Amino acid sequence: ATPSKRTGSGAYFQGSKRAKHNESHQCSLIFGLQDKVGVLQETITVFKDHNVDMTHIESRPASSPENGADYEFFVSLKQSDAELLEKLKTKAKYLHVLDDNPDTADPMWFPRRIKELDAFATRVLSAGSELESDHPGFTDSVYRDRRRYFADIAIKYRHGQPIPRVKYTEAETKTWNAIYTKLRSLYVTHACAEFNRAFPLLEEYCGYSADNIPQLQDISEYLQRCTGFQLRPVAGLLSSRDFLAGLAFRVFHSTQYIRHASKPFYTPEPDVCHELLGHVPLFADRDFAQFSQEIGLASLGASDEDIEKLATCYWFTVEFGLCREGDKIKAYGAGLLSSFGELEYCLTDEPEVKPFDPEVTGSTKYPITKYQPTYFLAESFDNATEKMKAYSAKLKRPFHVRYNAFTQSVELLESTHDLKLFAQEIKQNMDVLTSVLSARA
């Protein structure tokens, strides 16, 4: 089946790109050039001299001239080349490397502080108006310009900055309205209790409504108050290594663009409808937030093989997970909660439902262009978290990690000194708990 056959879907998650490690190790660049005679030819020659093949190139006027650049270029390469990048820096007014995967053979490489997400969050597999030829908006120049606008916001964003507010067009809001209205009517009967508790609060505090697309900044501030999760804009699809690393810091990379208006119930990649309707509500739930972070922490320094398994666990839980609620089964996966067609289908007798077990789940193959034939059932988010912790402990890493919420950093637990500090912190928490319990006795 082709993606276009998946009609009735509120959102389509590009698992092969965002939840799967980028095996090609391609490199994408954005650089700015000054408008002067011969400068483009000189720059193209640099690629030729270094025997680097370009798979895609597009240009546009610099939307906000940086260091004297008049034109901006987006280029995709078959491979990265350090000497090429150094040479380009001498020709260009500025240069941003968007996709240059680290050497994952070194398991010690991973971001250690939340600000370090800036260094790789723009390593997207696609950006701006680079749409596939079968994308509904491929021939729509207005839509492509709009995608460039959203990509620019994400590429320039840095941790700690407020997320720029977007004025959505009438057509974009109409598309959101159609999806919101259809899904809202299904949540009471099909979504889990945690989701249904959170959704009305998002309507009350974050501007969720059929006639308004909420702003990422408002949602991010609300989530931080609830569970410490926050959003940051992303220009396009990330490799799963980078995407999962964000979850370790309780950061969810969210798109801001919306699907093309010609097909409101289909999208070939995650869009703002998928992110805000499918993902966001459960990030306000403490148990689900902990489960999501556990997958992220397990990914830090993991081998490519383990990343693939963790990404598959993510697919069958955070994207397409089911959970038990009394004697009933409910949906909690974002791919389900943003797809009215699959949300109805997943609770029928047609698909197979298996108990969630990371060992089994992580090795299960799945389709990305049609409804899932198999779903995995969690007894509870707390139970799923404990299973992920046990699974993570078996991963072949020469270290253990913990997240320090006070410093928003990941700490290695290697030396006796590290363990001593950790034990002191546990003791302080136990002292508080003991004091509280004694007062109640």
Side-chain angles (χ1 to χ4, degrees):
T2 63
S4 60
K5 291 183 180 178
R6 190 174 179 181
T7 55
S9 174
Y12 170 73
F13 187 80
Q14 189 79 341
S16 62
K17 292 184 178 180
R18 186 173 178 181
K20 191 172 182 179
H21 184 61
N22 178 26
E23 297 177 352
S24 62
H25 300 286
Q26 293 183 349
C27 178
S28 298
L29 313 171
I30 287 182
F31 56 88
L33 297 178
Q34 190 176 20
D35 186 14
K36 62 180 183 180
V37 177
V39 67
L40 178 58
Q41 182 60 44
E42 292 176 8
T43 305
I44 296 298
T45 301
V46 173
F47 293 95
K48 181 179 179 181
D49 291 345
H50 288 80
N51 295 316
V52 174
D53 292 329
M54 289 185 287
T55 59
H56 178 88
I57 183 171
E58 63 180 72
S59 65
R60 62 186 178 193
S63 55
S64 55
E66 182 180 340
N67 297 330
D70 298 300
Y71 291 94
E72 189 169 71
F73 293 82
F74 173 74
V75 179
S76 294
L77 311 175
K78 283 189 174 181
Q79 70 282 338
S80 178
D81 184 285
E83 292 183 2
L84 166 70
L85 297 180
E86 289 302 315
K87 188 65 176 180
L88 279 178
K89 289 178 182 179
T90 68
K91 301 287 184 181
K93 292 297 181 180
Y94 59 87
L95 172 68
H96 301 308
V97 180
L98 301 184
D99 183 18
D100 189 12
N101 287 297
D103 179 9
T104 57
D106 179 6
M108 295 302 292
W109 184 93
F110 53 83
R112 303 287 284 275
R113 296 186 177 277
I114 194 169
K115 187 173 178 57
E116 292 175 15
L117 296 179
D118 288 341
F120 68 79
T122 53
R123 288 204 299 260
V124 294
L125 309 185
S126 63
S129 62
E130 189 198 7
L131 306 178
E132 300 292 339
S133 60
D134 60 350
H135 192 287
F138 181 72
T139 60
D140 186 339
S141 60
V142 174
Y143 182 76
R144 293 172 72 101
D145 287 342
R146 192 68 170 156
R147 291 289 293 263
R148 279 195 289 266
Y149 165 74
F150 287 114
D152 285 343
I153 290 176
I155 289 170
K156 295 172 183 176
Y157 177 79
R158 294 295 178 267
H159 173 71
Q161 297 175 347
I163 302 172
R165 307 184 79 83
V166 172
K167 185 176 181 180
Y168 288 96
T169 67
E170 182 178 345
E172 289 168 338
T173 303
K174 184 178 179 180
T175 299
W176 165 271
N177 183 298
I179 299 161
Y180 188 98
T181 303
K182 183 74 174 179
L183 286 169
R184 190 70 174 90
S185 65
L186 291 175
Y187 288 155
V188 175
T189 54
H190 289 66
C192 65
E194 293 84 353
F195 184 94
N196 281 319
R197 279 198 297 267
F199 203 89
L201 297 174
L202 292 168
E203 292 178 319
E204 182 176 356
Y205 296 111
C206 299
Y208 272 57
S209 76
D211 298 319
N212 179 65
I213 303 177
Q215 298 293 327
L216 295 194
Q217 182 62 29
D218 295 339
I219 299 168
S220 188
E221 291 175 0
Y222 176 75
L223 291 179
Q224 286 184 68
R225 294 195 299 270
C226 293
T227 63
F229 250 92
Q230 57 187 289
L231 306 181
R232 68 171 292 155
V234 65
L237 301 167
L238 294 174
S239 72
S240 72
R241 182 177 292 278
D242 289 352
F243 179 76
L244 294 177
L247 295 180
F249 295 86
R250 298 206 171 201
V251 172
F252 179 73
H253 290 85
S254 174
T255 56
Q256 283 181 292
Y257 57 79
I258 196 166
R259 63 198 64 183
H260 195 261
S262 66
K263 292 187 176 181
F265 299 119
Y266 163 77
T267 177
E269 75 264 286
D271 73 336
V272 72
C273 298
H274 174 77
E275 319 285 38
L276 303 193
L277 297 177
H279 280 291
V280 162
L282 280 174
F283 284 131
D285 179 81
R286 289 190 177 187
D287 287 341
F288 182 82
Q290 184 63 41
F291 172 73
S292 301
Q293 185 180 31
E294 199 61 44
I295 296 180
L297 288 170
S299 76
L300 299 179
S303 67
D304 287 349
E305 180 182 358
D306 286 335
I307 286 289
E308 178 71 17
K309 292 179 180 178
L310 290 168
T312 303
C313 285
Y314 177 93
W315 175 271
F316 280 115
T317 55
V318 181
E319 284 298 334
F320 291 97
L322 300 177
C323 63
R324 191 176 299 283
E325 202 167 280
D327 59 351
K328 297 181 180 179
I329 294 177
K330 299 289 185 176
Y332 73 88
L336 303 174
L337 295 167
S338 59
S339 165
F340 68 82
E342 190 157 6
L343 184 54
E344 292 177 314
Y345 160 83
C346 72
L347 300 185
T348 66
D349 294 331
E350 186 173 346
E352 182 181 11
V353 178
K354 297 180 179 180
F356 172 62
D357 176 355
E359 293 280 1
V360 176
T361 305
S363 300
T364 301
K365 303 299 181 182
Y366 56 85
I368 63 172
T369 58
K370 60 182 181 180
Y371 295 163
Q372 301 299 302
T374 302
Y375 298 101
F376 286 88
L377 179 69
E379 293 300 320
S380 68
F381 295 145
D382 185 58
N383 179 262
T385 300
E386 291 306 311
K387 288 183 176 181
M388 279 306 306
K389 285 182 177 179
Y391 178 73
S392 301
K394 299 177 183 178
L395 298 181
K396 297 178 181 179
R397 296 188 297 182
F399 52 82
H400 290 84
V401 299
R402 68 180 291 260
Y403 179 67
N404 187 323
F406 297 105
T407 60
Q408 294 185 304
S409 62
V410 170
E411 299 174 350
L412 295 183
L413 298 177
E414 295 181 297
S415 67
T416 301
H417 178 69
D418 296 333
L419 297 176
K420 182 179 179 180
L421 292 177
F422 189 27
Q424 288 176 346
E425 185 176 325
I426 294 174
K427 182 179 182 302
Q428 291 170 356
N429 290 331
M430 289 300 297
D431 289 343
V432 173
L433 177 61
T434 301
S435 177
V436 172
L437 292 177
S438 297
R440 290 186 175 184

